[in-house]
Amino acid sequence: AQRVTQPEKLLSVFKGAPVELKCNYSYSGSPELFWYVQYSRQRLQLLLRHISRESIKGFTADLNKGETSFHLKKPFAQEEDSAMYYCALSVNTGGFKTIFGAGTRLFVKA
Amino acid sequence: ETGVTQSPTHLIKTRGQQVTLRCSSQSGHNTVSWYQQALGQGPQFIFQYYREEENGRGNFPPRFSGLQFPNYSSELNVNALELDDSALYLCASSFGGGGYTEAFFGQGTRLTVV
């Protein structure tokens, strides 16, 4: 069965420090992977997707098929990055579905 | 252009009852996905509707059913409510079916089953 694992429920870093939010997936096919973010009192929104290979708000994520990982990284964390981050995997196995991880709460300290 | 709206925002139901949740998709979108989010968990995919047809389904029993209308708005119906159905229900609209384009989420409906 397909699965997305985010091993850290909470990640706390100081402002200016590098941050890495981990995401591992299990899927035998070609994965479509996303990172979604939810800021306080806001809706869940797309941060980035692997297919577009873009950097959003300084965040990047690289798909590593060998390690089945899609970790989210930012070299210098900002206080406004504090939010809930979800990794998600979209698959089509005779029907479409999107599987979300449990999420990691990032707290950036001043 | 209007965003995704869900109604109601909150409701309380008794075990065994039925409930209907509604979602208006973003202008120009033809796909709606529904999710259940329990406290402290990520969203769990219930199903997706694309052009009024079910396009995919997660591991939810048949008492979870849905509908998409010609204007692409959607309903989620849950029969024979159980206590474990208490959760935040999210809908997300997108264009083109599947999950390969950006999904825009609503604010959610908080369902409490007592």
Side-chain angles (χ1 to χ4, degrees), chain A residues 41-104:
Chain A
R41 296 188 181 85
Q42 293 189 27
R43 303 176 181 201
L44 200 56
Q45 59 186 281
L46 179 68
L47 179 62
L48 57 79
R49 48 190 159 178
H50 95 272
I51 197 170
S52 54
R53 303 181 68 82
E54 56 197 346
S55 172
I56 303 293
K57 299 185 178 182
F59 284 97
T60 58
D62 289 319
L63 173 60
N64 185 324
K65 289 188 178 181
E67 295 183 358
T68 59
S69 68
F70 188 57
H71 303 328
L72 183 68
K73 300 177 184 179
K74 185 170 183 177
F76 307 104
Q78 302 300 314
E79 289 180 75
E80 56 265 30
D81 296 328
S82 295
M84 194 74 182
Y85 291 80
Y86 295 96
C87 182
L89 166 70
S90 286
V91 302
N92 193 337
T93 54
F96 160 79
K97 58 183 171 181
T98 296
I99 301 114
F100 278 77
T104 297

Side-chain angles (χ1 to χ4, degrees), chain A residues 6-13 21 83-84 103-107:
Chain A
Q6 294 180 251
E8 302 135 331
K9 281 197 173 296
L10 174 67
L11 186 61
S12 183
V13 301
L21 291 90
M84 194 74 182
T104 297
R105 181 164 296 282
L106 174 65
F107 181 57

Side-chain angles (χ1 to χ4, degrees), chain B residues 58-75:
Chain B
N59 297 327
F60 280 82
R63 59 190 185 83
F64 285 78
S65 63
L67 208 55
Q68 187 178 32
F69 300 99
N71 66 355
Y72 302 124
S73 65
S74 177
E75 286 182 353

Side-chain angles (χ1 to χ4, degrees), chain A residues 9 32 34 36 43-44 46 49 86 90-92 95-98 100-102, chain B residues 4 35 37 42-43 45 48 55-57 98-103 105-107:
Chain A
K9 281 197 173 296
E32 297 288 343
F34 305 82
Y36 280 85
R43 303 176 181 201
L44 200 56
L46 179 68
R49 48 190 159 178
Y86 295 96
S90 286
V91 302
N92 193 337
F96 160 79
K97 58 183 171 181
T98 296
F100 278 77
Chain B
V4 179
Y35 296 85
Q37 187 173 23
F45 180 76
Q48 183 188 82
N55 190 42
R57 190 177 180 94
Y100 314 122
T101 58
E102 182 175 358
F105 281 80
Q107 82 283 9

Side-chain angles (χ1 to χ4, degrees), chain A residues 22-42:
Chain A
K22 292 184 167 49
C23 171
N24 288 90
Y25 67 92
S26 65
Y27 178 52
S28 56
S30 187
E32 297 288 343
L33 288 152
F34 305 82
W35 276 98
Y36 280 85
V37 61
Q38 188 167 27
Y39 301 103
S40 179
R41 296 188 181 85
Q42 293 189 27

